């Protein structure tokens, strides 16, 4: 398949972004391990503390545990020399909580964390439901919150002074790229299988518009039952019409389970996933043979690629991947989001010369940077998500994600 690569930036736009990245890479990498020989370390001050509510167990654990690993790796790296804030270097401390994929528990944890005056920002929520629960508390308590869940774009609001930021791609951008991939293969009739919940709702809403724009006919849309349920009935309803492709919009482990049922039902057409499928479970166990040859749209960082040739950004990504492999044995493409969240907060604190939550929020919304997962271009009116130009198409080949566009 040779899906076209959409360029959403003009040359001047890309040049401006690249110039900003150079400055920000320098500012962030200055936080860890870059002190010149002979330099005296700055005095140590109050810690930069990040509160995180993550799905370490339950439905979202496939993605939540990756974020815990990423936070630990970046915190250890930044803590080598500390984060320079004003005339002091601040140690980095994480306050990690397992929300068990439960929005009610996530909201309670957010309230506890936000109530601690020593915490500068909240990170978390790989499920839309838990992210929304965290977001509500962050808005009320006026603490910067960096969401890791897929979903609609987050924007600044006069009511909350823009305390919420989103790092994952927007649904419309992922849907557009999936539709382009289908059209590039000259597949004309497709069906959609969307998960239950907010994530599935977003896909079911975004895909019809994207498919129509690409000249692809949507035959039918089916909804998968709750995680852990029997998917056979839902799968057979969409496979009955023998579509050229089935687009599965769901997070792991539902993505692989849906693909397995599609193949078991006798369906032999193309299968395409949104970025929520990119997790270890999708390529392992009984789903492995079912997903071989399937496609996914995901930020191109999945295989270590960068959007630019900027040395600092490429080196940071390679270093993160090496550390992740060394610590946990296998690198996962969803992992860099939490690492980027921590880097963004550290850079904002450095630029603000302060650990004040309001000042960190103000400097978060000025950042235009290529992180390890992809490009971010925050502004007072736009707090997410990842830039569309970060997305690429991958295929599962011999049990691994291989970039094809």
């Amino acid at each position: 398949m040779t899906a076209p690569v959409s360029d959403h930036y003009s040359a001047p736009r890309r040049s401006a972004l690249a110039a900003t990245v150079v400055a920000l890479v320098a500012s962030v990498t200055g936080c860890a391990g870059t002190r010149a020989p002979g330099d005296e370390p700055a005095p140590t001050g109050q810690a930069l503390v990040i509160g995180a509510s993550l799905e370490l167990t339950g439905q979202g654990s496939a993605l939540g545990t990756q974020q815990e690993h990423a936070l630990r790796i970046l915190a250890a790296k930044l803590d080598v020399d500390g984060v320079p804030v004003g005339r002091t270097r601040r140690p980095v401390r994480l306050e990690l909580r397992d929300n068990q994929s439960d929005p009610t528990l996530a909201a309670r944890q957010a309230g506890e964390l936000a109530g601690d005056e020593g915490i500068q920002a909240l990170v978390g929520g790989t499920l839309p439901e838990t992210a929304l629960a965290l977001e509500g508390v962050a808005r009320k308590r006026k603490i910067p919150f960096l969401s890791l869940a897929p979903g609609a774009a987050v924007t600044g609001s006069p009511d909350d002074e823009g305390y919420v930021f989103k790092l994952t791609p927007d649904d419309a951008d992922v849907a557009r790229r999936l539709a382009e991939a289908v059209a590039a293969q000259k597949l004309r009739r497709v069906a959609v299988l969307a998960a239950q919940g907010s994530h599935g709702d977003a896909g079911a809403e975004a895909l019809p518009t994207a498919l129509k724009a690409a000249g692809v006919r949507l035959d039918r849309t089916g909804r998968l039952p709750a995680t852990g349920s029997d998917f056979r009935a839902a799968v057979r309803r969409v496979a009955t019409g023998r579509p050229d492709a089935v687009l599965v919009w769901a997070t792991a482990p539902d993505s692989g389970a849906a693909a397995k049922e599609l193949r078991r039902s006798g369906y032999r057409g193309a299968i395409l996933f949104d970025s929520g499928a990119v997790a270890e479970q999708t390529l392992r166990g009984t789903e492995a043979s079912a997903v071989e040859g399937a496609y996914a749209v995901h930020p191109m960082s999945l295989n270590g690629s960068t959007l630019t040739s900027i040395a600092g950004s490429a080196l940071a990504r390679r270093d993160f991947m090496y550390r992740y492999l060394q610590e946990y044995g296998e690198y996962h493409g969803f992992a860099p989001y939490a690492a980027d969240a921590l880097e963004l907060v550290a850079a904002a604190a450095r630029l603000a010369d302060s650990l004040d939550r309001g000042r960190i929020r103000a400097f978060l919304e000025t950042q235009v940077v290529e992180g390890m997962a992809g490009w971010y271009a925050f502004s007072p009116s736009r707090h997410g998500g990842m830039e569309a130009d970060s997305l690429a198409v991958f295929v599962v080949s011999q049990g691994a994600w291989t970039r094809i566009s």
Side-chain angles (χ1 to χ4, degrees):
M1 187 184 84
T2 55
V5 179
S6 298
D7 190 354
H8 297 281
Y9 296 133
S10 63
R13 165 73 164 160
R14 189 179 292 282
S15 297
L17 285 173
T20 309
V21 168
V22 171
L24 284 175
V25 165
S27 74
V28 174
T29 55
C31 296
T34 59
R35 196 167 61 234
D39 282 359
E40 288 297 323
T44 300
Q46 174 190 349
L48 172 65
V49 187
I50 306 297
S53 174
L54 297 167
E55 296 80 355
L56 305 183
T57 56
Q59 177 187 349
S61 61
L63 302 180
T65 53
Q66 295 179 33
Q67 305 313 300
E68 179 198 16
H69 296 165
L71 284 172
R72 291 189 186 280
I73 289 170
L74 256 293
K77 179 183 176 182
L78 293 175
D79 211 28
V80 171
D81 288 335
V83 178
V85 181
R87 297 187 177 184
T88 61
R89 287 187 174 268
R90 311 297 182 128
V92 177
R93 180 162 60 87
L94 300 175
E95 289 290 340
L96 293 169
R97 303 287 188 273
D98 176 13
N99 61 41
Q100 301 174 27
S101 305
D102 180 354
T104 301
L105 179 56
R108 184 163 70 246
Q109 291 173 347
E112 293 169 355
L113 292 167
D116 184 344
E117 294 300 322
I119 290 179
Q120 281 72 51
L122 290 174
V123 173
T126 61
L127 294 175
E129 290 78 10
T130 53
L132 286 170
L134 293 165
E135 176 183 319
V137 175
R139 292 183 191 276
K140 182 177 180 181
R141 304 295 290 269
K142 298 189 182 301
I143 183 170
F145 168 58
L146 292 86
S147 171
L148 309 175
V154 174
T155 58
S157 165
D159 296 331
D160 58 32
E161 300 178 31
Y163 276 85
V164 179
F165 298 80
K166 174 176 171 290
L167 276 68
T168 52
D170 288 341
D171 299 312
D173 294 331
V174 175
R176 187 182 308 112
R177 205 58 187 277
L178 280 170
E180 291 172 354
V182 169
Q185 293 187 82
K186 304 188 185 304
L187 304 173
R188 298 305 176 195
R189 292 190 312 109
V190 304
V192 170
L193 265 175
Q196 291 294 326
S198 300
H199 182 57
D201 292 345
E205 181 179 345
L207 282 169
T209 301
L211 291 167
K212 182 177 180 180
V216 178
R217 175 183 163 188
L218 174 58
D219 270 2
R220 64 188 70 189
T221 297
R223 302 302 294 265
L224 294 168
T227 301
S229 302
D230 189 336
F231 286 3
R232 283 178 293 183
V235 164
R236 286 171 181 168
R237 278 194 292 270
V238 300
T240 298
R242 297 183 180 179
D244 298 324
V246 175
L247 309 185
V248 179
W249 194 286
T251 58
D254 290 353
S255 313
K260 179 181 176 181
E261 287 300 335
L262 279 165
R263 296 310 188 206
R264 183 180 288 173
S265 73
Y267 177 74
R268 294 293 176 263
I271 298 175
L272 295 93
F273 298 118
D274 78 295
S275 54
V278 180
E280 180 181 5
Q281 285 87 335
T282 307
L283 302 180
R284 298 291 180 267
T286 57
E287 285 82 16
S289 60
V291 301
E292 185 71 19
Y295 300 96
V297 169
H298 192 277
M300 60 183 67
S301 60
L302 177 57
N303 66 348
S305 300
T306 58
L307 286 165
T308 69
S309 59
I310 295 170
S313 179
L315 285 172
R317 181 170 294 155
R318 284 197 294 271
D319 180 66
F320 174 76
M321 291 178 66
Y322 172 77
R323 290 170 185 253
Y324 199 102
L325 285 165
Q326 189 177 46
E327 291 286 333
Y328 302 105
E330 188 171 11
Y331 176 75
H332 303 288
F334 196 84
Y337 288 116
D340 283 345
L342 181 50
E343 289 272 25
L344 286 164
V345 173
R350 180 187 184 278
L351 293 168
D353 279 340
S354 172
L355 295 186
D356 177 76
R357 293 173 176 180
R359 287 182 59 79
I360 288 175
R361 181 212 65 79
F363 279 91
L364 275 171
E365 68 180 15
T366 68
Q367 296 198 50
V368 181
V369 61
E370 184 185 7
M372 282 176 283
W375 280 96
Y376 306 102
F378 296 136
S379 71
S381 62
R382 187 177 190 276
H383 285 194
M386 182 179 291
E387 296 289 271
D389 207 36
S390 301
L391 297 173
V393 180
F394 295 82
V395 64
V396 181
S397 177
Q398 297 182 347
W401 299 103
T402 301
R403 182 182 169 191
I404 60 174
S405 75

